[in-house]
Structures are given as C-alpha cells and as structure tokens.
Amino acid sequence: MRANHRTASLSTMHIEAAPERIWEGLATARGMKTYLTDEVHAPNEHISAGDEIRIVIGDMINDAVCLASDRPRLFRLKDRFRSLLADDSYVEYELVTTFRLEEEEHMTRVTVEVDGYDENSELHRWVRECGEFGWKQSLFNLKLVLELGLDLRHDVFGYPRFGVCNYTAPPAQLRAQGLDPDRVQGNYLMEVFPEGPAARAGLRPGDIVVSFGGRDVPTYAEFIRSLGLCTGTKEPVGVTYYRGGRRLHTEAVLSYDKLLTGLVDPTEESVRQVADGKRSS
C-alpha cells in the first residue's frame, strides 16, 4: 500500500497597502466580496477562530471553519470543498489554507499556503494546480482593488474555456503511453465535459495535450496562459495531443459559456444563478 504523502503549495503577492487593509479583504465577508466572490456567509463581519463560514465560487462551495485569526498577521481556514465534475457528480476534499501578511518597507508580502494535498491522488493533482493558479489570479485582483480601485475579476477569470479538467502529466503517465518524459511534456485530461469544446473536437479523458493554439503547453500554467491568449478569438484553435502513444491534431472552438467558466455577467444580480454550473479549463 502506498503511503499518503501530504504536501503544501505556496502563492505570494506583494501589495502596496498596509497589512490592516489587506486583512480586511482576506478575513472579512465584506472584504472577500470586493475581489473574490459575491457570496460569503459568516456569523460576524470579522471572522474569528471557531466561526463557520460558507464561500461560494461558481459551482464550488467551501464550508470552512476558521482555525486562527491573528489580526492583521495570520488567518487560517480548514476548508471543506464540494465541486462539480463533468459527469454531474460531486467531489469533496479537505485542505487547510493559511494567509500570512508581512510588512516589507512600503509593501506587504501576502503568502497563501495550502496544505493537505495527497501527491498520490489524481484528484489532488488537478485540485492543486487549479488552486495554485487560482490564488495567483485572486491575489492579483486583490492587488488591483487595493492599489487602483479596480475589480477586474471577470476579466482575470473570464478567459475562454476548453471544457476539461486537466493537470501537468507526470512522467509515469507519459511513459504509460510510450512517451519519453525528457522529450514530451503536456497536460493530462482527467475529465472532458460532455458537449464542451474539447468533446466536440474529439478529445477524451486520458489524452495528453502538448500544444494549444500554436503554443507548447508542457504544464498546467502554460495551458491556462494559452487559453488566456486566445481571448477574443472566434476562429477554431489548433490542438495537438497524444492518445495511446499516437500524435494527433484537431481544432476546437472555445466557449465563454457560464456553465464552463462559473462566471455570471457583472450586471447580473447574483453568482447563485450559476452556483450549480460547471467550471473547468
């Protein structure tokens, strides 16, 4: 039996604001609504140790418990996530998220540490890479809100979607297809959403995408960047992938459907209108 190796990830952002202002964004329901999501339920405005809160982001629901609240230096949550997959089933998983704020001259260094990933779990590979990139995007939007007064979450997260759940293919999955990890890197498709762009283009779970929109995508981060660079594109984009060791090519028309992005139009009243939708890459 394999041991469960629990690991953590780190995301960091320097923000030109005092720790107290940043704390308001990270550790209050009102602050979270300014940059992260429109729906947060908490018993008190300032969240304290022991408080139970619910954070809804698209189809993802986090029923969290505050483990520590040391204003304005440290804030820690025990997360209990519930997310929707391509087959309409839900997956649940638990993590611990810690926010640390440290003053550095005229800036504050914000570090988000997420602990509890199981490196042997395929689900956790996907969750980890989604989470790492997602926190970079969210911290960037918090920086924009505090420094420039601009909430651009719909621009930051509003890139077109391919309709898959994917992660960086580890060497073992590449070798399983007869590929040399020193020569081929790509994204393993864990889930392909029915009737989504990838499915319509003929892709299936287990395929390994190595090129997207004319750009190599050796990692999850590069895959998301390539999607972002396709923003505004109406023409089909080229996709190169491996299936059973064979190198194949297809084209896909990307989608902005809120069932894939998890986003509503900024003029719509509430994110709950798509709370039962799907979010994917």
PDB file of all heavy atoms in Angstrom, residues 4 7 11 22 24 42 46 75 84 86 99 101 118 125 142 150 157 175 182 186 196 200 221 236 242 244:
ATOM      1  N   ASN A   4       0.287   7.891   2.043  1.00  0.00           N
ATOM      2  CA  ASN A   4      -0.255   9.171   1.603  1.00  0.00           C
ATOM      3  C   ASN A   4       0.721  10.272   1.983  1.00  0.00           C
ATOM      4  O   ASN A   4       0.925  10.540   3.161  1.00  0.00           O
ATOM      5  CB  ASN A   4      -1.615   9.441   2.250  1.00  0.00           C
ATOM      6  CG  ASN A   4      -2.714   8.575   1.659  1.00  0.00           C
ATOM      7  OD1 ASN A   4      -2.564   8.072   0.557  1.00  0.00           O
ATOM      8  ND2 ASN A   4      -3.787   8.389   2.392  1.00  0.00           N
ATOM      9  N   THR A   7       1.288  17.240   1.016  1.00  0.00           N
ATOM     10  CA  THR A   7       2.180  18.318   0.613  1.00  0.00           C
ATOM     11  C   THR A   7       1.437  19.648   0.633  1.00  0.00           C
ATOM     12  O   THR A   7       0.218  19.697   0.744  1.00  0.00           O
ATOM     13  CB  THR A   7       2.750  18.060  -0.792  1.00  0.00           C
ATOM     14  OG1 THR A   7       1.658  17.984  -1.728  1.00  0.00           O
ATOM     15  CG2 THR A   7       3.533  16.766  -0.841  1.00  0.00           C
ATOM     16  N   SER A  11       1.617  30.517  -2.692  1.00  0.00           N
ATOM     17  CA  SER A  11       1.414  31.598  -3.659  1.00  0.00           C
ATOM     18  C   SER A  11       1.716  32.904  -2.932  1.00  0.00           C
ATOM     19  O   SER A  11       1.314  33.084  -1.778  1.00  0.00           O
ATOM     20  CB  SER A  11      -0.027  31.610  -4.181  1.00  0.00           C
ATOM     21  OG  SER A  11      -0.353  30.392  -4.820  1.00  0.00           O
ATOM     22  N   ILE A  22      -5.213  44.956   3.833  1.00  0.00           N
ATOM     23  CA  ILE A  22      -5.233  43.659   3.163  1.00  0.00           C
ATOM     24  C   ILE A  22      -6.012  42.647   3.997  1.00  0.00           C
ATOM     25  O   ILE A  22      -6.765  41.824   3.465  1.00  0.00           O
ATOM     26  CB  ILE A  22      -3.792  43.179   2.897  1.00  0.00           C
ATOM     27  CG1 ILE A  22      -3.089  44.184   1.983  1.00  0.00           C
ATOM     28  CG2 ILE A  22      -3.788  41.785   2.285  1.00  0.00           C
ATOM     29  CD1 ILE A  22      -1.607  43.945   1.826  1.00  0.00           C
ATOM     30  N   GLU A  24      -8.548  43.158   5.832  1.00  0.00           N
ATOM     31  CA  GLU A  24      -9.983  43.352   5.612  1.00  0.00           C
ATOM     32  C   GLU A  24     -10.460  42.555   4.397  1.00  0.00           C
ATOM     33  O   GLU A  24     -11.570  42.026   4.383  1.00  0.00           O
ATOM     34  CB  GLU A  24     -10.291  44.839   5.416  1.00  0.00           C
ATOM     35  CG  GLU A  24     -10.083  45.696   6.646  1.00  0.00           C
ATOM     36  CD  GLU A  24     -11.155  45.468   7.694  1.00  0.00           C
ATOM     37  OE1 GLU A  24     -12.301  45.183   7.315  1.00  0.00           O
ATOM     38  OE2 GLU A  24     -10.839  45.593   8.900  1.00  0.00           O
ATOM     39  N   ALA A  42     -21.083  34.403   6.826  1.00  0.00           N
ATOM     40  CA  ALA A  42     -20.292  34.327   8.050  1.00  0.00           C
ATOM     41  C   ALA A  42     -21.125  34.867   9.203  1.00  0.00           C
ATOM     42  O   ALA A  42     -21.952  35.762   9.013  1.00  0.00           O
ATOM     43  CB  ALA A  42     -18.996  35.121   7.907  1.00  0.00           C
ATOM     44  N   HIS A  46     -16.097  40.371  11.118  1.00  0.00           N
ATOM     45  CA  HIS A  46     -14.705  39.957  11.288  1.00  0.00           C
ATOM     46  C   HIS A  46     -14.695  38.508  11.743  1.00  0.00           C
ATOM     47  O   HIS A  46     -15.212  38.176  12.810  1.00  0.00           O
ATOM     48  CB  HIS A  46     -13.979  40.857  12.296  1.00  0.00           C
ATOM     49  CG  HIS A  46     -13.697  42.222  11.765  1.00  0.00           C
ATOM     50  ND1 HIS A  46     -12.544  42.531  11.079  1.00  0.00           N
ATOM     51  CD2 HIS A  46     -14.441  43.358  11.783  1.00  0.00           C
ATOM     52  CE1 HIS A  46     -12.573  43.808  10.716  1.00  0.00           C
ATOM     53  NE2 HIS A  46     -13.719  44.325  11.116  1.00  0.00           N
ATOM     54  N   PHE A  75      -4.234  34.351   9.168  1.00  0.00           N
ATOM     55  CA  PHE A  75      -5.626  33.914   9.075  1.00  0.00           C
ATOM     56  C   PHE A  75      -5.603  32.507   8.501  1.00  0.00           C
ATOM     57  O   PHE A  75      -4.993  32.265   7.458  1.00  0.00           O
ATOM     58  CB  PHE A  75      -6.407  34.867   8.172  1.00  0.00           C
ATOM     59  CG  PHE A  75      -7.880  34.565   8.063  1.00  0.00           C
ATOM     60  CD1 PHE A  75      -8.704  34.597   9.168  1.00  0.00           C
ATOM     61  CD2 PHE A  75      -8.446  34.269   6.822  1.00  0.00           C
ATOM     62  CE1 PHE A  75     -10.064  34.343   9.059  1.00  0.00           C
ATOM     63  CE2 PHE A  75      -9.794  34.014   6.697  1.00  0.00           C
ATOM     64  CZ  PHE A  75     -10.605  34.055   7.819  1.00  0.00           C
ATOM     65  N   LEU A  84     -18.203  20.298  -8.604  1.00  0.00           N
ATOM     66  CA  LEU A  84     -18.910  19.506  -9.599  1.00  0.00           C
ATOM     67  C   LEU A  84     -17.953  19.051 -10.690  1.00  0.00           C
ATOM     68  O   LEU A  84     -17.130  19.834 -11.171  1.00  0.00           O
ATOM     69  CB  LEU A  84     -20.032  20.342 -10.216  1.00  0.00           C
ATOM     70  CG  LEU A  84     -21.135  19.616 -10.989  1.00  0.00           C
ATOM     71  CD1 LEU A  84     -21.925  18.710 -10.063  1.00  0.00           C
ATOM     72  CD2 LEU A  84     -22.068  20.647 -11.633  1.00  0.00           C
ATOM     73  N   ALA A  86     -17.402  16.640 -14.511  1.00  0.00           N
ATOM     74  CA  ALA A  86     -18.019  16.618 -15.841  1.00  0.00           C
ATOM     75  C   ALA A  86     -19.237  15.718 -15.922  1.00  0.00           C
ATOM     76  O   ALA A  86     -20.145  15.959 -16.717  1.00  0.00           O
ATOM     77  CB  ALA A  86     -16.982  16.176 -16.874  1.00  0.00           C
ATOM     78  N   PHE A  99      -3.156  32.304   5.451  1.00  0.00           N
ATOM     79  CA  PHE A  99      -2.757  33.592   4.885  1.00  0.00           C
ATOM     80  C   PHE A  99      -1.799  34.256   5.870  1.00  0.00           C
ATOM     81  O   PHE A  99      -2.139  34.426   7.046  1.00  0.00           O
ATOM     82  CB  PHE A  99      -3.971  34.496   4.667  1.00  0.00           C
ATOM     83  CG  PHE A  99      -5.046  33.894   3.802  1.00  0.00           C
ATOM     84  CD1 PHE A  99      -6.013  33.056   4.355  1.00  0.00           C
ATOM     85  CD2 PHE A  99      -5.098  34.153   2.445  1.00  0.00           C
ATOM     86  CE1 PHE A  99      -7.013  32.497   3.574  1.00  0.00           C
ATOM     87  CE2 PHE A  99      -6.094  33.598   1.655  1.00  0.00           C
ATOM     88  CZ  PHE A  99      -7.049  32.771   2.213  1.00  0.00           C
ATOM     89  N   LEU A 101       0.692  37.742   6.424  1.00  0.00           N
ATOM     90  CA  LEU A 101       0.971  39.105   5.980  1.00  0.00           C
ATOM     91  C   LEU A 101       2.228  39.607   6.675  1.00  0.00           C
ATOM     92  O   LEU A 101       2.313  39.568   7.905  1.00  0.00           O
ATOM     93  CB  LEU A 101      -0.204  40.029   6.291  1.00  0.00           C
ATOM     94  CG  LEU A 101      -1.446  39.928   5.381  1.00  0.00           C
ATOM     95  CD1 LEU A 101      -2.154  38.596   5.556  1.00  0.00           C
ATOM     96  CD2 LEU A 101      -2.418  41.063   5.657  1.00  0.00           C
ATOM     97  N   ASP A 118      -2.716  15.312  -1.361  1.00  0.00           N
ATOM     98  CA  ASP A 118      -2.182  13.953  -1.413  1.00  0.00           C
ATOM     99  C   ASP A 118      -1.511  13.763  -2.774  1.00  0.00           C
ATOM    100  O   ASP A 118      -2.184  13.718  -3.801  1.00  0.00           O
ATOM    101  CB  ASP A 118      -3.311  12.937  -1.226  1.00  0.00           C
ATOM    102  CG  ASP A 118      -2.832  11.496  -1.287  1.00  0.00           C
ATOM    103  OD1 ASP A 118      -1.610  11.270  -1.455  1.00  0.00           O
ATOM    104  OD2 ASP A 118      -3.681  10.598  -1.168  1.00  0.00           O
ATOM    105  N   ARG A 125      -3.946  16.192  -7.724  1.00  0.00           N
ATOM    106  CA  ARG A 125      -3.059  16.817  -8.705  1.00  0.00           C
ATOM    107  C   ARG A 125      -3.794  17.943  -9.427  1.00  0.00           C
ATOM    108  O   ARG A 125      -3.265  19.035  -9.629  1.00  0.00           O
ATOM    109  CB  ARG A 125      -2.567  15.786  -9.725  1.00  0.00           C
ATOM    110  CG  ARG A 125      -1.610  14.743  -9.176  1.00  0.00           C
ATOM    111  CD  ARG A 125      -0.979  13.952 -10.320  1.00  0.00           C
ATOM    112  NE  ARG A 125      -0.288  12.778  -9.817  1.00  0.00           N
ATOM    113  CZ  ARG A 125      -0.645  11.525 -10.064  1.00  0.00           C
ATOM    114  NH1 ARG A 125      -1.700  11.277 -10.823  1.00  0.00           N
ATOM    115  NH2 ARG A 125       0.039  10.518  -9.580  1.00  0.00           N
ATOM    116  N   LEU A 142      -6.937  41.205  -5.948  1.00  0.00           N
ATOM    117  CA  LEU A 142      -6.926  41.937  -4.690  1.00  0.00           C
ATOM    118  C   LEU A 142      -5.952  43.113  -4.765  1.00  0.00           C
ATOM    119  O   LEU A 142      -6.250  44.215  -4.296  1.00  0.00           O
ATOM    120  CB  LEU A 142      -6.536  41.003  -3.541  1.00  0.00           C
ATOM    121  CG  LEU A 142      -6.415  41.645  -2.152  1.00  0.00           C
ATOM    122  CD1 LEU A 142      -7.732  42.274  -1.710  1.00  0.00           C
ATOM    123  CD2 LEU A 142      -5.941  40.608  -1.122  1.00  0.00           C
ATOM    124  N   LEU A 150      -9.757  48.898  -8.828  1.00  0.00           N
ATOM    125  CA  LEU A 150     -10.332  48.199  -9.978  1.00  0.00           C
ATOM    126  C   LEU A 150     -10.603  46.737  -9.629  1.00  0.00           C
ATOM    127  O   LEU A 150      -9.682  46.000  -9.288  1.00  0.00           O
ATOM    128  CB  LEU A 150      -9.380  48.256 -11.176  1.00  0.00           C
ATOM    129  CG  LEU A 150      -9.059  49.637 -11.732  1.00  0.00           C
ATOM    130  CD1 LEU A 150      -7.984  49.515 -12.816  1.00  0.00           C
ATOM    131  CD2 LEU A 150     -10.310  50.289 -12.310  1.00  0.00           C
ATOM    132  N   PHE A 157     -10.634  36.144 -14.686  1.00  0.00           N
ATOM    133  CA  PHE A 157     -11.110  34.760 -14.776  1.00  0.00           C
ATOM    134  C   PHE A 157     -11.974  34.519 -16.016  1.00  0.00           C
ATOM    135  O   PHE A 157     -12.433  33.391 -16.225  1.00  0.00           O
ATOM    136  CB  PHE A 157     -11.929  34.403 -13.535  1.00  0.00           C
ATOM    137  CG  PHE A 157     -11.117  34.288 -12.285  1.00  0.00           C
ATOM    138  CD1 PHE A 157     -11.023  35.348 -11.405  1.00  0.00           C
ATOM    139  CD2 PHE A 157     -10.428  33.124 -12.000  1.00  0.00           C
ATOM    140  CE1 PHE A 157     -10.263  35.254 -10.250  1.00  0.00           C
ATOM    141  CE2 PHE A 157      -9.667  33.015 -10.850  1.00  0.00           C
ATOM    142  CZ  PHE A 157      -9.585  34.078  -9.962  1.00  0.00           C
ATOM    143  N   ARG A 175       5.108   7.868 -19.748  1.00  0.00           N
ATOM    144  CA  ARG A 175       5.717   6.561 -20.078  1.00  0.00           C
ATOM    145  C   ARG A 175       4.655   5.525 -20.391  1.00  0.00           C
ATOM    146  O   ARG A 175       4.870   4.628 -21.218  1.00  0.00           O
ATOM    147  CB  ARG A 175       6.595   6.093 -18.921  1.00  0.00           C
ATOM    148  CG  ARG A 175       7.834   6.957 -18.681  1.00  0.00           C
ATOM    149  CD  ARG A 175       8.791   6.281 -17.711  1.00  0.00           C
ATOM    150  NE  ARG A 175       9.868   7.187 -17.332  1.00  0.00           N
ATOM    151  CZ  ARG A 175       9.904   7.882 -16.204  1.00  0.00           C
ATOM    152  NH1 ARG A 175       8.904   7.757 -15.334  1.00  0.00           N
ATOM    153  NH2 ARG A 175      10.909   8.682 -15.932  1.00  0.00           N
ATOM    154  N   ASP A 182      11.564  13.136 -21.151  1.00  0.00           N
ATOM    155  CA  ASP A 182      12.605  14.124 -21.434  1.00  0.00           C
ATOM    156  C   ASP A 182      12.365  14.847 -22.755  1.00  0.00           C
ATOM    157  O   ASP A 182      12.983  15.876 -23.027  1.00  0.00           O
ATOM    158  CB  ASP A 182      13.981  13.455 -21.464  1.00  0.00           C
ATOM    159  CG  ASP A 182      14.410  12.948 -20.097  1.00  0.00           C
ATOM    160  OD1 ASP A 182      14.015  13.576 -19.094  1.00  0.00           O
ATOM    161  OD2 ASP A 182      15.111  11.927 -20.030  1.00  0.00           O
ATOM    162  N   GLY A 186       3.196  17.566 -21.374  1.00  0.00           N
ATOM    163  CA  GLY A 186       1.877  18.064 -21.736  1.00  0.00           C
ATOM    164  C   GLY A 186       0.898  17.989 -20.590  1.00  0.00           C
ATOM    165  O   GLY A 186       1.266  17.759 -19.444  1.00  0.00           O
ATOM    166  N   GLY A 196     -18.837  19.903 -24.486  1.00  0.00           N
ATOM    167  CA  GLY A 196     -17.948  21.044 -24.394  1.00  0.00           C
ATOM    168  C   GLY A 196     -17.031  21.118 -25.606  1.00  0.00           C
ATOM    169  O   GLY A 196     -17.020  20.223 -26.464  1.00  0.00           O
ATOM    170  N   ARG A 200     -16.397  18.101 -28.383  1.00  0.00           N
ATOM    171  CA  ARG A 200     -16.817  18.287 -29.784  1.00  0.00           C
ATOM    172  C   ARG A 200     -15.636  18.161 -30.738  1.00  0.00           C
ATOM    173  O   ARG A 200     -15.818  17.818 -31.915  1.00  0.00           O
ATOM    174  CB  ARG A 200     -17.495  19.652 -29.937  1.00  0.00           C
ATOM    175  CG  ARG A 200     -18.861  19.746 -29.269  1.00  0.00           C
ATOM    176  CD  ARG A 200     -19.634  20.958 -29.758  1.00  0.00           C
ATOM    177  NE  ARG A 200     -18.990  22.195 -29.361  1.00  0.00           N
ATOM    178  CZ  ARG A 200     -19.251  22.858 -28.246  1.00  0.00           C
ATOM    179  NH1 ARG A 200     -20.143  22.375 -27.394  1.00  0.00           N
ATOM    180  NH2 ARG A 200     -18.627  23.983 -27.965  1.00  0.00           N
ATOM    181  N   ALA A 221       0.094  25.546 -15.967  1.00  0.00           N
ATOM    182  CA  ALA A 221       0.178  27.008 -16.036  1.00  0.00           C
ATOM    183  C   ALA A 221       0.271  27.491 -17.479  1.00  0.00           C
ATOM    184  O   ALA A 221      -0.383  28.468 -17.869  1.00  0.00           O
ATOM    185  CB  ALA A 221       1.367  27.511 -15.226  1.00  0.00           C
ATOM    186  N   PRO A 236     -11.472  28.613 -34.856  1.00  0.00           N
ATOM    187  CA  PRO A 236     -11.015  27.404 -34.162  1.00  0.00           C
ATOM    188  C   PRO A 236      -9.520  27.482 -33.868  1.00  0.00           C
ATOM    189  O   PRO A 236      -8.750  28.060 -34.637  1.00  0.00           O
ATOM    190  CB  PRO A 236     -11.326  26.288 -35.166  1.00  0.00           C
ATOM    191  CG  PRO A 236     -12.385  26.846 -36.062  1.00  0.00           C
ATOM    192  CD  PRO A 236     -12.089  28.314 -36.170  1.00  0.00           C
ATOM    193  N   TYR A 242      -1.657  13.500 -27.624  1.00  0.00           N
ATOM    194  CA  TYR A 242      -1.297  12.088 -27.760  1.00  0.00           C
ATOM    195  C   TYR A 242      -2.414  11.231 -27.193  1.00  0.00           C
ATOM    196  O   TYR A 242      -3.004  11.545 -26.157  1.00  0.00           O
ATOM    197  CB  TYR A 242      -0.001  11.791 -27.006  1.00  0.00           C
ATOM    198  CG  TYR A 242       1.251  12.225 -27.733  1.00  0.00           C
ATOM    199  CD1 TYR A 242       1.781  13.490 -27.535  1.00  0.00           C
ATOM    200  CD2 TYR A 242       1.897  11.364 -28.617  1.00  0.00           C
ATOM    201  CE1 TYR A 242       2.926  13.900 -28.199  1.00  0.00           C
ATOM    202  CE2 TYR A 242       3.047  11.761 -29.284  1.00  0.00           C
ATOM    203  CZ  TYR A 242       3.552  13.031 -29.081  1.00  0.00           C
ATOM    204  OH  TYR A 242       4.689  13.426 -29.746  1.00  0.00           O
ATOM    205  N   GLY A 244      -2.794   6.980 -26.711  1.00  0.00           N
ATOM    206  CA  GLY A 244      -2.203   5.657 -26.914  1.00  0.00           C
ATOM    207  C   GLY A 244      -0.854   5.733 -27.605  1.00  0.00           C
ATOM    208  O   GLY A 244      -0.504   4.821 -28.357  1.00  0.00           O
TER     209      GLY A 244
END
